[in-house]
Coordinates of all heavy atoms in Angstrom, one line a residue:
M1 N 22.4 -3.3 -2.5 CA 22.3 -1.9 -2.2 C 23.6 -1.4 -1.4 O 24.1 -0.3 -1.7 CB 21.1 -1.6 -1.4 CG 20.8 -0.2 -1.0 SD 20.4 0.7 -2.5 CE 19.7 2.1 -1.8
S2 N 24.1 -2.2 -0.5 CA 25.3 -1.8 0.3 C 26.5 -1.6 -0.6 O 27.3 -0.8 -0.3 CB 25.5 -2.8 1.4 OG 25.9 -4.0 0.9
D3 N 26.6 -2.4 -1.6 CA 27.8 -2.3 -2.5 C 27.7 -1.0 -3.3 O 28.8 -0.3 -3.5 CB 27.8 -3.4 -3.5 CG 28.3 -4.7 -2.9 OD1 28.9 -4.7 -1.8 OD2 28.0 -5.8 -3.5
M4 N 26.5 -0.5 -3.6 CA 26.4 0.8 -4.3 C 26.8 1.9 -3.3 O 27.4 2.9 -3.7 CB 25.0 1.0 -4.8 CG 24.6 0.1 -6.0 SD 22.9 0.2 -6.5 CE 22.8 2.0 -6.9
M5 N 26.4 1.8 -2.1 CA 26.7 2.8 -1.1 C 28.2 2.8 -0.9 O 28.8 3.9 -0.8 CB 26.0 2.5 0.2 CG 26.2 3.6 1.3 SD 25.7 5.2 0.8 CE 24.0 5.1 1.2
K6 N 28.9 1.7 -0.7 CA 30.3 1.6 -0.6 C 31.0 2.3 -1.7 O 32.0 3.0 -1.6 CB 30.8 0.2 -0.4 CG 30.5 -0.4 0.9 CD 31.0 -1.9 1.0 CE 30.6 -2.6 2.2 NZ 31.1 -4.0 2.3
Q7 N 30.6 2.0 -2.9 CA 31.2 2.6 -4.1 C 31.0 4.1 -4.1 O 31.9 4.8 -4.5 CB 30.5 1.9 -5.4 CG 31.2 2.4 -6.7 CD 32.6 1.9 -6.8 OE1 33.1 1.0 -6.2 NE2 33.4 2.7 -7.6
F8 N 29.8 4.5 -3.8 CA 29.6 6.0 -3.7 C 30.5 6.7 -2.7 O 31.1 7.7 -3.0 CB 28.1 6.2 -3.3 CG 27.8 7.7 -3.1 CD1 27.7 8.6 -4.2 CD2 27.6 8.2 -1.8 CE1 27.5 9.9 -3.9 CE2 27.4 9.5 -1.6 CZ 27.3 10.4 -2.6
V9 N 30.6 6.1 -1.5 CA 31.5 6.7 -0.5 C 32.9 6.7 -1.0 O 33.7 7.6 -0.8 CB 31.3 5.9 0.9 CG1 32.4 6.3 1.9 CG2 29.9 6.1 1.4
R10 N 33.4 5.6 -1.5 CA 34.8 5.4 -2.0 C 35.0 6.5 -3.1 O 36.1 7.2 -3.0 CB 35.0 4.1 -2.6 CG 36.4 3.8 -3.1 CD 36.6 2.4 -3.6 NE 36.2 1.5 -2.6 CZ 37.0 0.7 -1.8 NH1 38.3 0.8 -2.1 NH2 36.5 -0.1 -0.9
E11 N 34.1 6.7 -4.1 CA 34.3 7.7 -5.1 C 34.3 9.1 -4.5 O 35.1 9.9 -5.0 CB 33.3 7.5 -6.2 CG 33.5 6.3 -7.0 CD 32.3 6.1 -8.0 OE1 31.4 6.9 -8.1 OE2 32.4 5.0 -8.7
T12 N 33.5 9.3 -3.6 CA 33.4 10.7 -2.9 C 34.7 11.0 -2.2 O 35.3 12.0 -2.3 CB 32.2 10.8 -2.0 OG1 31.0 10.5 -2.7 CG2 32.1 12.1 -1.4
L13 N 35.2 10.0 -1.4 CA 36.5 10.2 -0.7 C 37.6 10.3 -1.6 O 38.5 11.2 -1.4 CB 36.7 9.0 0.2 CG 35.9 9.0 1.5 CD1 36.2 7.7 2.3 CD2 36.3 10.2 2.4
D14 N 37.7 9.6 -2.7 CA 38.8 9.7 -3.7 C 38.7 11.1 -4.3 O 39.8 11.7 -4.5 CB 38.6 8.7 -4.8 CG 39.1 7.3 -4.4 OD1 39.7 7.2 -3.3 OD2 38.7 6.3 -5.1
D15 N 37.6 11.6 -4.6 CA 37.4 12.9 -5.2 C 37.9 14.0 -4.2 O 38.6 14.9 -4.6 CB 36.0 13.2 -5.6 CG 35.8 14.4 -6.4 OD1 36.6 14.6 -7.4 OD2 34.9 15.3 -6.0
I16 N 37.5 13.9 -3.0 CA 37.9 14.9 -1.9 C 39.4 14.9 -1.8 O 40.0 15.9 -1.7 CB 37.2 14.6 -0.6 CG1 35.7 15.0 -0.7 CG2 37.8 15.4 0.5 CD1 34.8 14.5 0.4
L17 N 40.0 13.7 -1.6 CA 41.4 13.6 -1.5 C 42.2 14.1 -2.7 O 43.2 14.8 -2.5 CB 41.9 12.1 -1.2 CG 41.5 11.5 0.1 CD1 41.8 10.1 0.2 CD2 42.2 12.3 1.2
K18 N 41.7 13.9 -3.9 CA 42.3 14.3 -5.1 C 42.3 15.9 -5.2 O 43.3 16.5 -5.6 CB 41.7 13.7 -6.3 CG 42.5 13.9 -7.6 CD 41.8 13.4 -8.8 CE 41.4 11.9 -8.6 NZ 40.7 11.4 -9.8
N19 N 41.1 16.4 -4.9 CA 40.9 17.9 -5.1 C 41.3 18.8 -3.9 O 41.8 19.9 -4.2 CB 39.5 18.1 -5.5 CG 39.2 17.5 -6.8 OD1 40.0 17.5 -7.8 ND2 38.0 17.0 -6.9
E20 N 41.1 18.3 -2.7 CA 41.3 19.2 -1.6 C 42.6 18.8 -0.8 O 43.1 19.7 -0.1 CB 40.1 19.2 -0.7 CG 38.9 19.7 -1.3 CD 37.6 19.7 -0.5 OE1 37.8 19.9 0.8 OE2 36.5 19.6 -1.0
Y21 N 43.0 17.6 -0.8 CA 44.1 17.1 0.0 C 45.1 16.4 -0.9 O 45.6 15.3 -0.5 CB 43.7 16.2 1.1 CG 42.7 16.9 2.0 CD1 41.3 16.7 2.0 CD2 43.1 17.8 3.0 CE1 40.4 17.3 2.8 CE2 42.3 18.5 3.8 CZ 40.9 18.2 3.7 OH 40.0 18.9 4.6
A22 N 45.4 16.9 -2.1 CA 46.3 16.2 -3.0 C 47.7 16.0 -2.4 O 48.3 15.0 -2.7 CB 46.5 17.1 -4.3
H23 N 48.1 16.8 -1.5 CA 49.5 16.6 -0.9 C 49.5 15.4 0.0 O 50.6 14.8 0.3 CB 49.8 17.8 0.0 CG 48.9 18.1 1.1 ND1 47.7 18.7 1.0 CD2 49.0 17.8 2.4 CE1 47.1 18.8 2.1 NE2 47.8 18.2 3.1
M24 N 48.4 14.8 0.4 CA 48.4 13.6 1.2 C 48.7 12.4 0.4 O 49.0 11.3 1.0 CB 47.0 13.4 1.9 CG 46.8 14.5 3.0 SD 45.2 14.2 3.8 CE 45.5 12.7 4.7
R25 N 48.7 12.5 -0.9 CA 49.0 11.3 -1.8 C 50.5 11.1 -1.9 O 51.0 10.1 -2.4 CB 48.4 11.6 -3.1 CG 46.9 11.6 -3.0 CD 46.3 12.0 -4.3 NE 46.5 11.0 -5.3 CZ 46.3 11.2 -6.6 NH1 46.0 12.4 -7.1 NH2 46.5 10.2 -7.5
Y26 N 51.3 12.1 -1.4 CA 52.8 12.0 -1.5 C 53.4 12.2 -0.1 O 52.8 12.8 0.7 CB 53.3 13.2 -2.4 CG 52.7 13.1 -3.8 CD1 51.7 14.0 -4.2 CD2 53.1 12.2 -4.7 CE1 51.2 14.0 -5.4 CE2 52.6 12.1 -6.0 CZ 51.6 13.0 -6.3 OH 51.0 13.0 -7.6
P27 N 54.6 11.6 0.1 CA 55.2 11.7 1.4 C 55.7 13.1 1.6 O 56.1 13.8 0.7 CB 56.4 10.7 1.3 CG 56.7 10.5 -0.2 CD 55.4 10.8 -0.9
P28 N 55.6 13.5 2.9 CA 56.0 14.9 3.2 C 57.6 15.1 3.2 O 58.1 16.2 3.1 CB 55.5 15.1 4.6 CG 55.4 13.8 5.2 CD 55.1 12.9 4.1
C29 N 58.3 14.0 3.3 CA 59.7 14.0 3.3 C 60.3 13.1 2.2 O 59.9 11.9 2.1 CB 60.2 13.5 4.7 SG 62.0 13.8 4.9
V30 N 61.1 13.6 1.3 CA 61.6 12.9 0.2 C 63.1 13.2 0.0 O 63.7 14.1 0.6 CB 60.9 13.3 -1.1 CG1 59.4 12.9 -1.1 CG2 61.0 14.8 -1.4
C31 N 63.7 12.4 -0.8 CA 65.1 12.6 -1.2 C 65.1 13.3 -2.5 O 64.2 13.1 -3.3 CB 65.9 11.3 -1.2 SG 66.3 10.6 0.4
A32 N 66.2 14.1 -2.8 CA 66.3 14.8 -4.0 C 67.7 14.8 -4.5 O 68.7 14.7 -3.7 CB 65.8 16.2 -3.9
Y33 N 67.9 14.9 -5.8 CA 69.2 15.0 -6.4 C 69.5 16.5 -6.7 O 68.6 17.2 -7.2 CB 69.2 14.2 -7.7 CG 70.5 14.3 -8.5 CD1 71.6 13.6 -8.2 CD2 70.5 15.1 -9.6 CE1 72.8 13.7 -8.9 CE2 71.7 15.2 -10.4 CZ 72.8 14.5 -10.0 OH 73.9 14.6 -10.8
V34 N 70.7 17.0 -6.4 CA 71.0 18.4 -6.6 C 71.5 18.4 -8.1 O 72.6 17.9 -8.4 CB 72.1 18.9 -5.7 CG1 72.4 20.3 -6.0 CG2 71.6 18.8 -4.2
V35 N 70.7 19.0 -9.0 CA 71.0 19.1 -10.4 C 72.2 20.1 -10.6 O 73.1 19.9 -11.3 CB 69.8 19.5 -11.2 CG1 70.2 19.8 -12.7 CG2 68.7 18.5 -11.1
N36 N 72.1 21.3 -9.9 CA 73.1 22.3 -9.9 C 73.0 23.1 -8.6 O 72.0 23.2 -8.0 CB 73.1 23.1 -11.2 CG 71.9 23.9 -11.3 OD1 71.4 24.5 -10.4 ND2 71.3 23.9 -12.5
A37 N 74.1 23.7 -8.3 CA 74.1 24.5 -7.0 C 75.2 25.6 -7.2 O 76.2 25.4 -7.8 CB 74.4 23.7 -5.8
K38 N 74.9 26.7 -6.5 CA 76.0 27.8 -6.4 C 75.8 28.5 -5.1 O 74.8 28.6 -4.5 CB 75.8 28.8 -7.6 CG 74.6 29.5 -7.6 CD 74.5 30.5 -8.8 CE 73.2 31.2 -8.8 NZ 73.1 32.2 -9.9
K39 N 76.9 29.0 -4.7 CA 76.9 29.8 -3.4 C 76.5 31.2 -3.7 O 76.9 31.8 -4.7 CB 78.4 29.8 -2.8 CG 78.4 30.3 -1.4 CD 79.7 29.8 -0.7 CE 79.9 30.4 0.6 NZ 78.8 30.0 1.6
S40 N 75.6 31.7 -2.8 CA 75.1 33.0 -2.9 C 75.1 33.7 -1.6 O 74.2 33.5 -0.7 CB 73.6 33.0 -3.5 OG 73.1 34.3 -3.5
G41 N 76.2 34.4 -1.3 CA 76.4 35.0 0.0 C 76.6 33.9 1.0 O 77.5 33.1 0.8
D42 N 75.9 33.8 2.1 CA 76.0 32.8 3.1 C 75.2 31.5 2.8 O 75.4 30.5 3.4 CB 75.6 33.3 4.5 CG 76.5 34.4 5.0 OD1 77.7 34.4 4.6 OD2 76.1 35.2 5.9
D43 N 74.3 31.6 1.8 CA 73.4 30.5 1.4 C 73.9 29.9 0.1 O 74.8 30.3 -0.5 CB 72.0 31.0 1.3 CG 71.4 31.5 2.6 OD1 71.8 31.0 3.6 OD2 70.4 32.3 2.5
Y44 N 73.2 28.8 -0.2 CA 73.4 28.1 -1.5 C 72.0 28.1 -2.2 O 71.0 28.1 -1.6 CB 73.8 26.7 -1.2 CG 75.2 26.5 -0.7 CD1 75.4 26.7 0.7 CD2 76.3 26.2 -1.4 CE1 76.6 26.6 1.3 CE2 77.5 26.1 -0.9 CZ 77.7 26.3 0.4 OH 79.0 26.2 1.0
V45 N 72.1 28.3 -3.5 CA 70.9 28.2 -4.3 C 71.0 27.1 -5.3 O 72.1 26.9 -6.0 CB 70.7 29.5 -5.1 CG1 69.5 29.5 -6.0 CG2 70.6 30.7 -4.2
C46 N 70.0 26.2 -5.3 CA 70.2 25.0 -6.1 C 68.9 24.6 -6.8 O 67.8 25.1 -6.5 CB 70.7 23.8 -5.2 SG 69.5 23.4 -3.9
T47 N 69.0 23.7 -7.8 CA 67.9 23.1 -8.5 C 67.8 21.7 -8.1 O 68.9 21.0 -8.0 CB 68.1 23.2 -10.0 OG1 68.2 24.6 -10.4 CG2 66.9 22.6 -10.8
L48 N 66.6 21.2 -7.7 CA 66.5 19.8 -7.2 C 65.6 19.0 -8.1 O 64.7 19.5 -8.8 CB 65.8 19.9 -5.8 CG 66.5 20.6 -4.7 CD1 65.6 20.6 -3.4 CD2 67.8 20.0 -4.4
K49 N 65.9 17.7 -8.2 CA 65.1 16.7 -8.8 C 64.7 15.7 -7.8 O 65.5 15.0 -7.2 CB 65.8 16.1 -10.0 CG 65.0 15.0 -10.8 CD 63.8 15.7 -11.4 CE 63.1 14.6 -12.2 NZ 61.8 15.1 -12.6
I50 N 63.4 15.5 -7.5 CA 62.9 14.6 -6.5 C 63.1 13.2 -7.0 O 63.0 12.8 -8.1 CB 61.3 14.8 -6.3 CG1 61.1 16.3 -5.9 CG2 60.8 13.8 -5.3 CD1 61.7 16.7 -4.6
L51 N 63.5 12.3 -6.0 CA 63.8 10.9 -6.2 C 62.7 10.1 -5.7 O 62.1 10.4 -4.7 CB 65.1 10.5 -5.6 CG 66.4 11.3 -6.0 CD1 67.6 10.9 -5.2 CD2 66.6 11.2 -7.5
D52 N 62.5 8.9 -6.3 CA 61.5 8.0 -5.7 C 62.1 7.1 -4.6 O 63.3 7.3 -4.3 CB 60.9 7.1 -6.8 CG 61.9 6.2 -7.5 OD1 63.0 6.0 -7.0 OD2 61.5 5.7 -8.6
K53 N 61.4 6.1 -4.1 CA 61.9 5.4 -3.0 C 63.1 4.5 -3.4 O 63.8 4.0 -2.5 CB 60.8 4.5 -2.3 CG 60.2 3.5 -3.2 CD 59.1 2.7 -2.5 CE 58.5 1.7 -3.4 NZ 57.4 1.0 -2.7
N54 N 63.3 4.3 -4.7 CA 64.4 3.5 -5.2 C 65.6 4.4 -5.6 O 66.5 3.9 -6.2 CB 64.0 2.6 -6.4 CG 62.9 1.7 -6.0 OD1 63.0 1.0 -5.0 ND2 61.8 1.6 -6.8
M55 N 65.5 5.6 -5.2 CA 66.6 6.6 -5.5 C 66.8 6.9 -7.0 O 67.8 7.2 -7.4 CB 67.9 6.2 -4.8 CG 67.9 6.2 -3.3 SD 67.5 7.9 -2.7 CE 67.0 7.5 -1.1
Q56 N 65.7 6.7 -7.7 CA 65.7 7.0 -9.2 C 64.9 8.3 -9.3 O 64.0 8.6 -8.6 CB 65.0 5.9 -10.0 CG 65.7 4.5 -9.8 CD 67.1 4.5 -10.3 OE1 67.4 5.1 -11.4 NE2 68.0 4.0 -9.5
R57 N 65.2 9.1 -10.4 CA 64.5 10.3 -10.6 C 63.0 10.1 -10.8 O 62.6 9.2 -11.6 CB 65.1 11.0 -11.8 CG 66.5 11.5 -11.5 CD 67.2 12.1 -12.8 NE 68.6 12.4 -12.5 CZ 69.2 13.5 -12.8 NH1 68.5 14.4 -13.5 NH2 70.4 13.7 -12.5
D58 N 62.2 10.8 -10.1 CA 60.8 10.7 -10.1 C 60.2 11.6 -11.1 O 60.2 12.8 -10.9 CB 60.2 10.9 -8.7 CG 58.7 10.5 -8.6 OD1 58.1 10.4 -9.7 OD2 58.2 10.3 -7.5
N59 N 59.7 11.1 -12.3 CA 59.2 11.9 -13.3 C 57.8 12.6 -13.0 O 57.3 13.4 -13.8 CB 59.1 11.1 -14.6 CG 60.5 10.8 -15.1 OD1 61.4 11.5 -15.0 ND2 60.6 9.6 -15.7
Q60 N 57.2 12.2 -11.9 CA 55.9 12.9 -11.5 C 56.2 14.3 -11.1 O 55.3 15.1 -11.0 CB 55.3 12.1 -10.4 CG 54.8 10.8 -10.8 CD 54.1 10.1 -9.6 OE1 53.7 10.7 -8.6 NE2 53.9 8.8 -9.8
F61 N 57.4 14.6 -10.7 CA 57.8 15.9 -10.2 C 58.7 16.6 -11.2 O 59.7 16.0 -11.6 CB 58.5 15.9 -8.9 CG 57.7 15.4 -7.7 CD1 57.7 14.0 -7.4 CD2 56.9 16.2 -7.0 CE1 56.9 13.5 -6.4 CE2 56.1 15.8 -5.9 CZ 56.1 14.4 -5.6
P62 N 58.5 17.9 -11.6 CA 59.5 18.6 -12.4 C 60.6 19.0 -11.5 O 60.6 18.9 -10.3 CB 58.7 19.8 -12.9 CG 57.6 20.0 -11.8 CD 57.3 18.6 -11.3
E63 N 61.7 19.4 -12.2 CA 62.8 20.0 -11.4 C 62.3 21.2 -10.7 O 61.5 22.0 -11.2 CB 64.0 20.4 -12.3 CG 64.7 19.2 -12.9 CD 65.9 19.6 -13.7 OE1 66.2 20.8 -13.9 OE2 66.6 18.7 -14.1
I64 N 62.9 21.4 -9.5 CA 62.5 22.6 -8.6 C 63.6 23.6 -8.6 O 64.7 23.3 -8.0 CB 62.1 22.1 -7.2 CG1 61.0 21.1 -7.3 CG2 61.7 23.3 -6.4 CD1 60.8 20.4 -5.9
P65 N 63.5 24.7 -9.3 CA 64.6 25.6 -9.4 C 64.6 26.6 -8.2 O 63.6 26.8 -7.5 CB 64.3 26.4 -10.7 CG 62.9 26.4 -10.8 CD 62.4 25.1 -10.2
A66 N 65.8 27.3 -8.0 CA 65.9 28.4 -7.0 C 65.6 28.0 -5.6 O 64.9 28.8 -4.9 CB 65.1 29.6 -7.5
V67 N 66.0 26.8 -5.2 CA 65.8 26.4 -3.8 C 67.0 27.0 -3.0 O 68.1 26.7 -3.2 CB 65.8 24.9 -3.6 CG1 65.6 24.5 -2.2 CG2 64.6 24.3 -4.5
R68 N 66.7 27.8 -2.0 CA 67.7 28.5 -1.2 C 67.8 27.7 0.1 O 66.8 27.3 0.8 CB 67.3 29.9 -0.9 CG 68.3 30.7 -0.1 CD 67.9 32.2 -0.1 NE 68.0 32.9 -1.4 CZ 69.1 33.4 -1.9 NH1 70.2 33.3 -1.3 NH2 69.0 34.0 -3.1
T69 N 69.1 27.5 0.5 CA 69.3 26.7 1.8 C 70.6 27.2 2.4 O 71.5 27.7 1.7 CB 69.4 25.2 1.4 OG1 69.6 24.5 2.7 CG2 70.5 24.9 0.5
S70 N 70.7 27.0 3.7 CA 72.0 27.2 4.4 C 72.8 26.0 4.5 O 74.0 26.0 4.9 CB 71.7 27.8 5.8 OG 70.9 26.8 6.6
V71 N 72.3 24.8 4.1 CA 73.0 23.6 4.1 C 74.0 23.6 2.9 O 73.5 23.8 1.8 CB 72.1 22.4 4.0 CG1 72.8 21.1 3.9 CG2 71.1 22.3 5.2
P72 N 75.3 23.3 3.1 CA 76.2 23.3 2.0 C 75.8 22.1 1.0 O 75.9 21.0 1.4 CB 77.6 23.1 2.6 CG 77.4 23.4 4.1 CD 75.9 23.1 4.4
V73 N 75.4 22.5 -0.2 CA 75.1 21.5 -1.2 C 75.9 21.7 -2.4 O 76.2 22.9 -2.8 CB 73.6 21.4 -1.5 CG1 72.8 21.0 -0.3 CG2 73.1 22.8 -2.0
Y74 N 76.2 20.7 -3.1 CA 76.9 20.7 -4.4 C 76.3 19.9 -5.4 O 75.6 18.9 -5.1 CB 78.4 20.3 -4.1 CG 79.0 21.1 -3.0 CD1 79.1 20.6 -1.7 CD2 79.5 22.4 -3.3 CE1 79.7 21.3 -0.7 CE2 80.1 23.1 -2.2 CZ 80.2 22.6 -1.0 OH 80.7 23.3 0.1
Q75 N 76.6 20.2 -6.7 CA 76.0 19.4 -7.8 C 76.3 17.9 -7.6 O 77.4 17.5 -7.3 CB 76.6 19.9 -9.1 CG 76.0 19.1 -10.3 CD 76.5 19.7 -11.6 OE1 77.2 20.7 -11.7 NE2 76.2 19.0 -12.7
G76 N 75.3 17.1 -7.7 CA 75.5 15.6 -7.6 C 75.2 15.1 -6.2 O 75.0 13.9 -6.0
N77 N 75.0 16.0 -5.2 CA 74.6 15.5 -3.9 C 73.2 15.0 -3.9 O 72.4 15.4 -4.7 CB 74.7 16.6 -2.9 CG 76.1 17.0 -2.4 OD1 76.3 18.1 -1.9 ND2 77.1 16.2 -2.6
R78 N 72.9 14.1 -2.9 CA 71.5 13.7 -2.6 C 71.2 14.4 -1.3 O 72.0 14.4 -0.4 CB 71.4 12.2 -2.5 CG 71.5 11.5 -3.8 CD 71.2 10.1 -3.6 NE 71.3 9.4 -4.9 CZ 71.5 8.1 -5.1 NH1 71.6 7.4 -4.0 NH2 71.6 7.6 -6.3
V79 N 70.0 15.0 -1.2 CA 69.6 15.7 0.0 C 68.2 15.2 0.5 O 67.5 14.6 -0.3 CB 69.6 17.2 -0.2 CG1 70.9 17.8 -0.4 CG2 68.6 17.6 -1.4
V80 N 67.9 15.4 1.7 CA 66.6 15.1 2.3 C 65.8 16.4 2.3 O 66.3 17.4 2.8 CB 66.8 14.5 3.7 CG1 65.4 14.3 4.3 CG2 67.6 13.2 3.7
V81 N 64.6 16.3 1.8 CA 63.8 17.5 1.6 C 62.4 17.3 2.2 O 61.8 16.3 2.1 CB 63.6 17.8 0.1 CG1 62.7 19.0 -0.2 CG2 64.9 18.0 -0.6
L82 N 62.0 18.3 3.0 CA 60.6 18.4 3.5 C 59.8 19.3 2.6 O 60.3 20.4 2.2 CB 60.6 18.9 4.9 CG 61.3 18.1 6.0 CD1 61.3 18.9 7.3 CD2 60.6 16.8 6.1
M83 N 58.6 18.9 2.3 CA 57.7 19.7 1.5 C 56.7 20.3 2.5 O 55.8 19.7 3.0 CB 56.9 18.9 0.5 CG 57.8 18.3 -0.6 SD 58.5 19.6 -1.6 CE 59.1 18.6 -2.9
L84 N 57.0 21.6 2.9 CA 56.3 22.2 3.9 C 54.8 22.5 3.6 O 54.5 23.0 2.5 CB 57.0 23.5 4.3 CG 58.4 23.4 4.8 CD1 59.0 24.7 5.0 CD2 58.4 22.6 6.1
Y85 N 53.9 22.1 4.4 CA 52.5 22.4 4.3 C 51.9 21.8 3.1 O 50.9 22.3 2.6 CB 52.2 23.8 4.5 CG 52.7 24.4 5.7 CD1 53.8 25.3 5.7 CD2 52.2 24.1 7.0 CE1 54.4 25.8 6.9 CE2 52.7 24.6 8.1 CZ 53.8 25.4 8.1 OH 54.3 25.9 9.3
G86 N 52.5 20.7 2.5 CA 51.9 20.1 1.4 C 52.1 20.9 0.1 O 51.5 20.5 -0.9
E87 N 52.9 21.9 0.1 CA 53.1 22.7 -1.1 C 54.5 22.4 -1.6 O 55.3 21.8 -1.0 CB 53.0 24.2 -0.7 CG 51.6 24.6 -0.2 CD 51.6 26.1 0.2 OE1 52.6 26.8 0.1 OE2 50.5 26.5 0.7
C88 N 54.7 22.9 -2.8 CA 56.0 22.8 -3.4 C 56.9 23.9 -2.9 O 57.3 24.8 -3.6 CB 56.0 22.8 -4.9 SG 57.5 22.4 -5.7
N89 N 57.2 23.8 -1.6 CA 58.0 24.7 -0.9 C 59.1 24.0 -0.1 O 59.0 23.7 1.1 CB 57.1 25.5 0.1 CG 57.9 26.6 0.8 OD1 59.0 27.0 0.4 ND2 57.3 27.2 1.8
P90 N 60.1 23.5 -0.9 CA 61.1 22.5 -0.3 C 62.0 23.2 0.7 O 62.4 24.3 0.6 CB 61.8 22.0 -1.5 CG 61.7 23.1 -2.5 CD 60.4 23.7 -2.3
Y91 N 62.2 22.4 1.8 CA 63.2 22.8 2.8 C 64.2 21.7 2.9 O 63.8 20.5 3.3 CB 62.4 23.0 4.2 CG 63.4 23.3 5.3 CD1 63.9 24.6 5.4 CD2 63.7 22.3 6.2 CE1 64.8 24.9 6.5 CE2 64.6 22.6 7.3 CZ 65.1 23.9 7.4 OH 66.0 24.2 8.4
I92 N 65.5 22.0 2.7 CA 66.5 21.0 2.7 C 66.9 20.8 4.2 O 67.4 21.7 4.8 CB 67.7 21.4 1.8 CG1 67.3 21.4 0.4 CG2 68.8 20.4 2.0 CD1 68.3 21.9 -0.6
V93 N 66.8 19.5 4.7 CA 67.1 19.2 6.0 C 68.6 18.9 6.1 O 69.3 19.3 7.1 CB 66.3 18.0 6.5 CG1 66.7 17.5 7.9 CG2 64.8 18.2 6.4
G94 N 69.1 18.2 5.1 CA 70.6 17.9 5.1 C 70.9 17.0 4.0 O 70.0 16.6 3.2
R95 N 72.2 16.6 3.9 CA 72.6 15.7 2.8 C 72.3 14.3 3.2 O 72.3 13.9 4.4 CB 74.1 15.9 2.5 CG 74.4 17.2 1.9 CD 75.8 17.3 1.3 NE 76.8 17.0 2.3 CZ 77.7 17.9 2.7 NH1 77.7 19.1 2.2 NH2 78.6 17.6 3.7
Y96 N 72.0 13.5 2.2 CA 71.7 12.1 2.4 C 72.9 11.2 2.4 O 73.7 11.3 1.5 CB 70.7 11.6 1.4 CG 70.3 10.2 1.5 CD1 69.3 9.8 2.4 CD2 70.8 9.2 0.6 CE1 68.9 8.5 2.5 CE2 70.4 7.9 0.7 CZ 69.5 7.5 1.6 OH 69.1 6.2 1.7

């Protein structure tokens, strides 16, 4: 009986994490590759590709276009990115 209860609790927690707290399955701070970048006034606008822990392109994430930052970034740079509030709202902290 206790194994059934453990399985029920595990499945329930997995379901809650998947549906309500999906952002907890990914790190809040990641590295990204700058696919392209251009200067726009005082800021830079770039497209990012998230990297995995081995610094390889992570195919779980699509490219993120139109990321605006005051950090000078150029095509080919690697940057450190925070995903604010668990959303796909990247904030570039700096170059890696």
Side-chain angles (χ1 to χ4, degrees):
M1 183 70 163
S2 67
D3 288 338
M4 289 176 57
M5 182 61 82
K6 285 180 185 178
Q7 184 66 22
F8 173 75
V9 170
R10 182 179 307 252
E11 288 175 4
T12 302
L13 283 174
D14 285 344
D15 188 51
I16 290 171
L17 288 174
K18 189 185 308 178
N19 294 322
E20 296 181 32
Y21 302 101
H23 62 282
M24 291 180 68
R25 298 172 66 198
Y26 302 104
C29 188
V30 294
C31 285
Y33 175 80
V34 179
V35 176
N36 60 47
K38 64 180 179 177
K39 190 158 176 63
S40 175
D42 292 336
D43 293 336
Y44 293 80
V45 178
C46 60
T47 300
L48 300 177
K49 181 64 179 167
I50 303 299
L51 302 175
D52 63 16
K53 66 181 177 180
N54 299 315
M55 295 298 163
Q56 301 298 317
R57 293 174 185 225
D58 192 341
N59 293 325
Q60 292 181 15
F61 294 93
E63 288 185 355
I64 305 170
V67 178
R68 186 171 291 276
T69 181
S70 60
V71 176
V73 295
Y74 305 98
Q75 182 176 353
N77 285 160
R78 287 184 181 162
V79 293
V80 176
V81 177
L82 293 175
M83 296 295 194
L84 299 172
Y85 303 108
E87 297 177 2
C88 188
N89 185 14
Y91 176 78
I92 297 176
V93 178
R95 289 194 301 247
Y96 178 79

